[in-house]
């Protein structure tokens, strides 16, 4: 119970993972990882006689984990490996591992930590399919799956539409090879089953690795079989029209039957290997303290953890009441449709138009305003996000497959000659070239930093010390400034310098802190 309530110490990460699992079918298997890890930890604990040789280091790890998660909610810290690969710090897998390791050390000590090392490492797979895996494995597999299904249909004499991702047998009847059709969900599930089964059966590392690789390949092979079987179903449905309305259900039934068959084959192989002494390890023997023996420091450690958990529960409950209060919800609904509060003029720039950027489900992302200079130079788009919190647009661009041609830190003077640090990035989408500069405002100060790099780097902001213990009124509010040109023939450096000059001219008269004040309620 205390371990479940302790999730309140890392609530921002826990809620983000829950949203990830419930909205992304590809990553939904991650929700089973903490439960399986918990059961395996209890299994390991029982194997050492429920020894309770706890350590204060566990509490230190839990407190540090909670602090860095809270710090992350108040600031930006991104490790940039490449334009395609960026990591929010601390990453969710590290938070989950630290939480599990802290609980294990606090109650069971180093003996339990060593015995439960595999279940703890398993927590690193709470996000089973990282974004970089989607880019380099998921999408290529989608194209491969479409090619296999198309080749099979053509081999059977079917004439198809030219669209490589759609198998249209008639203008109105066919199937789309979506990302979920590439077998990656089944392959990842089979891989996890093999990994856990190998651990339980105490396979040697090379046997376990071979079983995992074989299980993943088996998942992909059976997915190709599913697509080919589905092609046969569609060919039959061409001659039996009433079957055409049941294509989706047929896909589910075919996929479920093949996955069940693949699982039986996997467990058959695991069972045969488990019977071979050369492929398994003998259980370690040792003397353990009698069950029920509790160390003298258990109760001080327990009550210290209880105090941390109760404080975190109070903070989470207080935030929940505030976020779900009638006044706050009414304000949020009002903000979704209300235009942003932008001045009619900023220096020599006049307000041309304003609009809101909302998710398709309704929630507001950014208030936008477009400013036009009196001298007819590049237009400036100004975005303020009252609800995103600590957020960097580099992640959004990466998710859309848009990689910056240039990225670095920019220091620009604002109204009153106050220098503010921005994280700048330059893009070319084929129709326009544009510079985006983002910063984060906490109360009266603003700043976002980007380290100069050749291969690796950081994007980060500095949180207000007072805001670490208060969400109101100094919570972080992102600001985005964008300048663009329609001339895509300009060399990169020339276009970037022109856009930087336009942003510099605009910000020289802009009070960034004042722009965020209307949204600090």
């Amino acid at each position: 119970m205390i371990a479940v309530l302790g999730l309140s110490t890392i609530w921002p990460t826990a809620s983000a993972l829950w949203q990830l699992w419930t909205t992304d079918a590809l990553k939904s298997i991650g929700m089973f990882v903490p439960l399986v890890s918990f059961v395996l930890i209890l299994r390991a604990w029982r194997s050492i006689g429920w020894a309770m040789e706890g350590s204060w280091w566990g509490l230190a790890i839990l407190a540090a984990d909670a602090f860095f998660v809270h710090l992350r909610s108040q600031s930006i810290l991104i490790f940039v490996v490449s334009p395609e690969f960026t990591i929010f710090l601390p990453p969710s897998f590290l938070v989950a591992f630290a939480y599990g390791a802290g609980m294990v050390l606090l109650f069971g000590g180093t003996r339990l930590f060593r015995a439960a090392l595999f279940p703890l490492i398993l927590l690193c797979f709470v996000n089973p399919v990282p974004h970089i895996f989607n880019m380099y494995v998921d999408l290529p597999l989608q194209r491969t799956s479409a090619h296999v299904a198309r080749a099979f249909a053509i081999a059977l004499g079917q004439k198809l539409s030219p669209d490589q991702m759609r198998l249209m047998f008639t203008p109105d009847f066919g199937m789309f090879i979506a990302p979920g059709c590439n077998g990656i969900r089944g392959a990842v599930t089979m891989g996890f089953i093999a990994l856990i089964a190998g651990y339980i059966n105490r396979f040697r590392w090379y046997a376990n690795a071979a079983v995992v690789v074989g299980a993943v390949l088996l998942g992909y092979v059976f997915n190709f079989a599913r697509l080919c079987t589905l092609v046969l179903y569609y060919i039959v449905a061409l001659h039996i029209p009433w079957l055409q309305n049941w294509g989706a259900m047929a896909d589910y039934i075919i996929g479920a039957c093949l996955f069940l068959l693949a699982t039986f084959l996997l467990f058959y192989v695991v069972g045969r290997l488990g019977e071979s002494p050369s492929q398994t390890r003998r259980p370690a023997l040792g003397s353990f303290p009698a069950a029920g023996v509790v160390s003298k420091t258990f109760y001080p450690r327990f009550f210290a953890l209880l105090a941390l958990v109760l404080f975190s529960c109070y903070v989470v409950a207080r935030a929940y009441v505030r976020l779900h209060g009638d006044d706050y919800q009414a304000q949020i609904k009002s903000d979704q449709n209300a235009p942003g509060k932008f001045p009619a003029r900023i220096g020599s720039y006049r307000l041309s138009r304003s609009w809101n950027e909302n998710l398709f489900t309704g929630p507001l992302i950014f208030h936008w305003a477009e400013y036009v200079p009196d001298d007819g130079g590049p237009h400036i788009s100004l975005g303020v996000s009252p609800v995103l919190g600590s957020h960097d647009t580099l992640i959004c661009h990466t998710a859309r497959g848009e990689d910056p041609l240039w990225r670095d830190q920019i220091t620009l003077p604002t109204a009153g000659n106050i220098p503010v640090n921005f994280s700048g990035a330059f893009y070319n989408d084929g129709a326009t070239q544009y510079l985006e500069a983002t910063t984060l405002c906490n109360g009266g100060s603003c700043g976002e930093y980007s380290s100069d790099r050749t291969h690796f780097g950081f994007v980060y902001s500095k949180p207000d010390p007072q805001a670490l213990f208060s969400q109101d009124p100094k919570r972080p509010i992102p600001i985005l400034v964008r300048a663009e040109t329609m001339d895509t023939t300009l060399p990169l450096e020339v276009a970037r310098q022109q856009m930087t000059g336009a942003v510099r001219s605009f910000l020289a008269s802009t009070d960034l802190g004042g722009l965020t004040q209307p949204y600090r309620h």
Side-chain angles (χ1 to χ4, degrees):
M1 180 61 70
I2 195 71
V4 175
L5 292 176
L7 291 175
S8 61
T9 61
I10 56 169
W11 186 251
T13 297
S15 59
L17 284 172
W18 180 256
Q19 183 178 11
L20 178 73
W21 297 333
T22 54
T23 57
D24 191 333
L26 184 59
K27 302 177 182 180
S28 58
I29 189 178
M31 70 174 62
F32 296 101
V33 170
L35 179 61
V36 173
S37 178
F38 178 72
V39 172
L40 293 179
I41 289 173
L42 293 180
R43 179 177 179 271
W45 203 355
R46 186 184 64 178
S47 71
I48 63 172
W50 304 104
M52 302 189 70
E53 303 170 349
S55 168
W56 284 101
W57 282 108
L59 184 64
I61 292 174
L62 290 172
D65 199 26
F67 172 77
F68 283 111
V69 168
H70 184 64
L71 181 66
R72 165 66 188 86
S73 67
Q74 297 294 320
S75 61
I76 293 174
L77 181 56
I78 304 171
F79 179 52
V80 181
V81 180
S82 70
E84 299 86 5
F85 187 23
T86 54
I87 303 173
F88 273 106
L89 299 179
S92 57
F93 73 86
L94 186 58
V95 172
F97 175 81
Y99 180 78
M103 284 293 182
V104 164
L105 284 172
L106 185 67
F107 289 105
T110 55
R111 188 195 297 269
L112 177 58
F113 181 84
R114 290 193 298 267
L117 188 57
F118 174 83
L120 291 175
I121 294 176
L122 190 63
L123 286 172
C124 294
F125 294 97
V126 288
N127 181 3
V129 186
H131 175 67
I132 192 170
F133 191 87
N134 288 52
M135 296 183 61
Y136 291 106
V137 179
D138 189 17
L139 294 179
L141 279 174
Q142 180 189 0
R143 290 190 290 269
T144 302
S145 300
H147 178 75
V148 169
R150 173 174 288 274
F152 183 70
I154 293 175
L156 294 176
Q158 298 299 312
K159 296 181 178 180
L160 305 175
S161 62
D163 189 347
Q164 294 297 314
M165 304 306 292
R166 295 180 184 272
L167 273 66
M168 302 303 295
F169 297 88
T170 70
D172 301 321
F173 180 60
M175 61 181 181
F176 171 63
I177 308 298
C181 295
N182 57 18
I184 193 171
R185 275 181 285 183
V188 169
T189 304
M190 295 290 287
F192 276 118
I193 292 175
L195 185 66
I196 296 167
Y199 167 75
I200 293 175
N201 286 275
R202 303 187 62 81
F203 286 171
R204 297 186 184 276
W205 69 268
Y206 52 84
N208 202 356
V211 171
V212 171
V213 172
V216 172
L217 293 177
L218 186 66
Y220 284 128
V221 169
F222 270 70
N223 178 71
F224 291 139
R226 177 181 70 89
L227 289 175
C228 293
T229 306
L230 194 61
V231 168
L232 292 175
Y233 175 89
Y234 273 70
I235 293 175
V236 173
L238 285 174
H239 305 284
I240 307 177
W242 66 267
L243 288 176
Q244 297 180 10
N245 296 326
W246 296 92
M249 181 59 66
D251 187 16
Y252 294 143
I253 294 174
I254 293 170
C257 292
L258 289 175
F259 182 79
L260 186 61
L261 177 59
T263 305
F264 284 147
L265 288 176
L266 174 61
F267 278 109
Y268 173 76
V269 172
V270 169
R272 291 297 300 271
L273 285 176
E275 296 172 358
S276 174
S278 62
Q279 304 298 331
T280 58
R281 294 175 289 108
R282 294 181 178 179
L285 300 177
S287 59
F288 307 114
V293 175
V294 179
S295 64
K296 295 180 180 179
T297 60
F298 170 77
Y299 289 107
R301 284 184 280 108
F302 176 80
F303 284 112
L305 174 63
L306 184 62
L308 175 63
V309 169
L310 291 178
F311 175 76
S312 300
C313 287
Y314 166 76
V315 172
V316 171
R318 183 171 177 267
Y320 180 86
V321 170
R322 176 178 177 271
L323 293 177
H324 291 79
D326 294 338
D327 294 341
Y328 186 85
Q329 289 297 316
Q331 184 66 48
I332 291 296
K333 291 181 179 179
S334 174
D335 288 343
Q336 289 179 7
N337 302 315
K341 299 177 177 62
F342 296 100
R345 290 193 69 88
I346 297 180
S348 60
Y349 290 77
R350 59 180 176 82
L351 180 64
S352 172
R353 65 189 181 103
S354 62
W355 70 97
N356 290 345
E357 180 183 355
N358 297 73
L359 291 173
F360 67 92
T361 53
L364 174 73
I365 302 177
F366 268 94
H367 290 302
W368 283 100
E370 182 180 2
Y371 283 88
V372 179
D374 294 337
D375 59 5
H379 295 196
I380 300 294
S381 296
L382 175 65
V384 180
S385 177
V387 296
L388 275 183
S390 54
H391 176 77
D392 186 79
T393 57
L394 178 65
I395 302 300
C396 295
H397 283 289
T398 301
R400 295 194 295 264
E402 301 168 357
D403 301 330
L405 303 176
W406 169 90
R407 186 187 64 78
D408 204 350
Q409 180 178 323
I410 312 175
T411 302
L412 300 171
T414 60
N417 203 30
I418 301 174
V420 173
N421 293 286
F422 291 81
S423 176
F426 190 82
Y427 299 88
N428 185 332
D429 60 8
T432 60
Q433 297 191 83
Y434 58 96
L435 173 74
E436 286 189 354
T438 64
T439 193
L440 204 64
C441 290
N442 294 275
S445 63
C446 301
E448 184 173 327
Y449 307 85
S450 177
S451 63
D452 189 15
R453 68 180 183 89
T454 55
H455 298 288
F456 305 98
F458 289 95
V459 177
Y460 62 98
S461 65
K462 298 178 181 178
D464 189 306
Q466 296 181 7
L468 290 177
F469 304 99
S470 173
Q471 288 291 322
D472 186 25
K474 294 188 176 183
R475 68 185 190 281
I477 294 181
I479 290 181
L480 190 153
V481 183
R482 170 174 168 161
E484 67 178 31
T485 175
M486 304 294 290
D487 187 356
T488 57
T489 63
L490 282 176
L492 168 63
E493 281 302 313
V494 174
R496 184 177 66 82
Q497 291 176 7
Q498 289 183 3
M499 297 305 100
T500 302
V503 171
R504 184 187 301 274
S505 173
F506 174 77
L507 290 175
S509 304
T510 306
D511 178 12
L512 296 180
L515 289 175
T516 66
Q517 288 304 316
Y519 312 107
R520 297 191 179 280
H521 46 69

